[in-house]
Amino acid sequence: MSSHHVRRFLAVLSLLTLSASTACADGARPAAGSPPVSGGPSQSAPPSPATTLSGPPASPSAPPAPKTLAWYLAQVPAFPPARPPQRVQLTPGPSVPLWFRVPTDQKVAFITIDDGALARPPAVIDFIREAHIPVTMFLNSPAAAAHPDYFKQIEAAGGMIENHTISHTSLPGRSYAYQKHEICGAADKLEQLFGKRPTLFRPPFGSRDANTLKAARDCGMIAALHWRETVDKGKVRYQTPTKVVKPGDIMLMHFRPALMDDLLGALRAIHKSGLTPALLTDYIQ
């Protein structure tokens, strides 16, 4: 082969090698419009989001366990604000008046708690404070003297302390001197313990006679209070056929183990009747 032919052969061989090399490079990319190659993402496809591990969707807060303070607070109805109280006109005389209800037309009712010796549930203090329950406590003076810190905490939460005699003895038929000792002696002790002399009086069992009401006046009381409804173990018992709490009604309960239920029962009954709880001393002074 002449040298001329050799040079032509080498030139053609070089061109063929370059062409094959370019074709291999082009073959690594699909043609425009072709689907991406299986096993690898297309350069035009968006990157895959990172995988995030998470638990189940968040659930709302669990309701409070029954009979806990949080549970009782959650059950308290929402009351409209009470109007400014209209004070009751008290008439002078040798005896205190006896009321089953406070003579007012305002849409309020009154929660009262008696005695103090049987039981003093600790949670009652926080319940009264947190729910802003206005309560009037008619205490026997020995119970108050035995547990002053308990009643002071309720007083600090907004409660009022009033007179329920020394020994919780039925008073009718007793001498005037005996009844005066029971009422005045309790008032003296309660003033010594709590720094304020009571002015409201509840005769034990609601029983009274003329000597009771006269002795109460002579001991500095301005009114004796009976009741229209009683509450025990959370159940309200009405003493009128309408079975509704009326404006001015006084509700009676006691310091018993189920006092939390009694307070809640009273609040529900007051709310159902379209009333708001209030303090006796805001109306009787």
Side-chain angles (χ1 to χ4, degrees), residues 152 155 161 188-198:
K152 284 179 180 179
E155 184 183 38
I161 295 172
D188 293 342
K189 188 63 176 180
L190 294 172
E191 181 179 18
Q192 176 190 338
L193 290 169
F194 304 105
K196 176 183 176 297
R197 189 173 184 81

Side-chain angles (χ1 to χ4, degrees), residues 3-285:
S3 60
H4 174 72
H5 287 99
V6 170
R7 288 195 297 271
R8 288 191 61 187
F9 174 77
L10 292 175
V12 170
L13 180 61
S14 176
L15 288 172
L16 288 174
T17 302
L18 179 61
S19 175
S21 171
T22 304
C24 288
D26 289 343
R29 296 190 302 271
S34 299
V37 177
S38 176
S42 167
Q43 291 183 358
S44 60
S48 300
T51 302
T52 303
L53 297 178
S54 63
S59 60
S61 299
K67 303 299 183 177
T68 61
L69 175 61
W71 182 87
Y72 281 102
L73 290 170
Q75 308 303 309
V76 173
F79 292 94
R83 298 176 60 188
Q86 297 175 350
R87 293 182 184 170
V88 175
Q89 295 296 318
L90 295 167
T91 56
S95 302
V96 296
L98 174 76
W99 290 327
F100 287 71
R101 57 175 299 275
V102 176
T104 180
D105 293 327
Q106 288 190 290
K107 292 184 176 182
V108 292
F110 304 94
I111 295 173
T112 66
I113 316 172
D114 279 13
D115 301 348
L118 179 60
R120 292 157 303 281
V124 163
I125 299 169
D126 293 328
F127 189 30
I128 290 172
R129 180 189 301 112
E130 297 294 330
H132 306 289
I133 306 172
V135 299
T136 301
M137 298 172 280
F138 287 94
L139 300 180
N140 302 124
S141 55
H147 310 281
D149 290 344
Y150 181 83
F151 301 114
K152 284 179 180 179
Q153 290 182 75
I154 296 179
E155 184 183 38
M160 300 300 295
I161 295 172
E162 302 295 343
N163 190 342
H164 199 38
T165 74
I166 298 172
S167 61
H168 202 273
T169 301
S170 182
L171 296 177
R174 301 278 190 154
S175 69
Y176 167 80
Y178 179 89
Q179 296 197 46
K180 184 178 180 183
H181 169 72
E182 281 284 328
I183 300 169
C184 287
D188 293 342
K189 188 63 176 180
L190 294 172
E191 181 179 18
Q192 176 190 338
L193 290 169
F194 304 105
K196 176 183 176 297
R197 189 173 184 81
T199 58
L200 303 180
F201 170 64
R202 171 164 286 151
F205 315 106
S207 302
R208 72 280 175 195
D209 61 12
N211 278 336
T212 310
L213 302 182
K214 183 177 186 305
R217 174 73 82 189
D218 293 342
C219 291
M221 306 298 106
I222 59 176
L225 287 306
H226 208 279
W227 56 85
R228 282 296 190 198
E229 294 85 24
T230 63
V231 193
D232 186 28
K233 297 181 177 65
K235 182 176 181 180
V236 178
R237 292 174 172 84
Y238 298 88
Q239 299 187 353
T240 58
T242 56
K243 296 190 181 301
V244 65
V245 184
K246 293 184 178 180
D249 275 7
I250 301 167
M251 307 184 78
L252 167 67
M253 60 192 70
H254 293 80
F255 282 98
R256 292 173 175 159
L259 183 53
M260 297 283 281
D261 295 311
D262 296 343
L263 288 167
L264 182 58
L267 292 172
R268 285 172 167 170
I270 292 170
H271 183 265
K272 183 179 179 181
S273 301
L275 308 179
T276 297
L279 272 178
L280 282 170
T281 50
D282 286 343
Y283 287 77
I284 310 171
Q285 292 187 12

